[in-house]
Amino acid sequence: DTAVSQTPKYLVTQMGNDKSIKCEQNLGHDTMYWYKQDSKKFLKIMFSYNNKELIINETVPNRFSPKSPDKAHLNLHINSLELGDSAVYFCASSHVEGGLYPEAFFGQGTRLTVV
Amino acid sequence: ELKVEQNPLFLSMQEGKNYTIYCNYSTTSDRLYWYRQDPGKSLESLFVLLSNGAVKQEGRLMASLDTKARLSTLHITAAVHDLSATYFCAVLNDYKLSFGAGTTVTVRA
């Protein structure tokens, strides 16, 4: 069973289009994240959700809108895609409240290419 | 704002020798993580360190944490080719997992 799964794995789209990436975790974690990894491998946090509530929004353009329908899902919708949005997007989850299960796990990543 | 600094950013290792990667962070943290990333792949969890003096070992890798110095180290013993990858440290603080820039490790014969 995949702990954190995100779809799709690859996404190629034209500038101006709208696209979504889905993420699901089956670990019972209370916190989920979206990260952007650029070509230099730097991992920048975009959003953090705890128990479906937005906790962190790191100066991300309004074109990016996360949605968490429940604790196990965190989706990312991107409007009006730009060339600079091309990157690998990772979803992750962890259990922040309570230290019994401290690990944080990452999804397989979605490689977004905007042409 | 929490800053996480790793060094070196690039590390060319010779097989059989020992090396250390350093991770400094700027504010108190709840947890410190080490991850490995192979090219084109996701991040694989190596260690999570929770308290001052924590030490964890897995194979040729050993991680330690000094919360007073805000420093974690990842020590590699007798490097082998299979360890070539990018290694990240990350620090959890207030629901935010902040990453260092990564250390790209290449192991040569």
Side-chain angles (χ1 to χ4, degrees), chain A residues 2-49:
Chain A
T2 303
V4 182
S5 61
Q6 57 181 107
T7 54
K9 189 172 180 182
Y10 300 98
L11 192 48
V12 181
T13 188
Q14 290 188 325
M15 276 196 309
N17 283 351
D18 303 338
K19 290 292 178 187
S20 292
I21 307 172
K22 295 186 176 183
C23 179
E24 176 182 4
Q25 54 97 2
N26 63 4
L27 299 164
H29 286 169
D30 59 11
T31 304
M32 296 184 73
Y33 314 84
W34 277 111
Y35 284 85
K36 179 180 180 180
Q37 188 172 42
D38 60 25
S39 56
K40 294 184 179 178
K41 302 182 188 174
F42 186 70
L43 281 151
K44 181 173 171 52
I45 189 166
M46 300 173 69
F47 303 103
S48 169
Y49 270 74

Side-chain angles (χ1 to χ4, degrees), chain B:
Chain B
E1 182 186 332
L2 174 60
K3 293 192 187 307
V4 183
E5 292 185 353
Q6 264 182 259
N7 68 83
L9 297 183
F10 298 92
L11 190 49
S12 179
M13 299 186 184
Q14 190 171 352
E15 276 188 339
K17 294 197 172 178
N18 303 334
Y19 297 88
T20 301
I21 300 171
Y22 298 89
C23 176
N24 285 93
Y25 53 99
S26 59
T27 64
T28 51
S29 165
D30 301 320
R31 302 170 197 167
L32 189 133
Y33 299 84
W34 284 98
Y35 290 90
R36 169 183 171 142
Q37 187 179 37
D38 291 296
K41 303 291 186 182
S42 183
L43 283 84
E44 175 191 351
S45 179
L46 295 175
F47 304 107
V48 54
L49 303 168
L50 303 179
S51 58
N52 189 42
V55 176
K56 290 196 173 179
Q57 182 163 7
E58 181 75 34
R60 299 175 188 274
L61 302 178
M62 183 175 73
S64 65
L65 179 62
D66 180 344
T67 57
K68 293 177 182 176
R70 296 178 185 159
L71 170 68
S72 180
T73 59
L74 181 66
H75 188 72
I76 299 168
T77 302
V80 292
H81 181 73
D82 284 353
L83 293 178
S84 296
T86 299
Y87 293 84
F88 292 94
C89 66
V91 172
L92 181 68
N93 183 268
D94 285 342
Y95 301 97
K96 184 174 175 180
L97 191 57
S98 299
F99 280 80
T103 298
T104 300
V105 168
T106 306
V107 182
R108 64 188 191 281

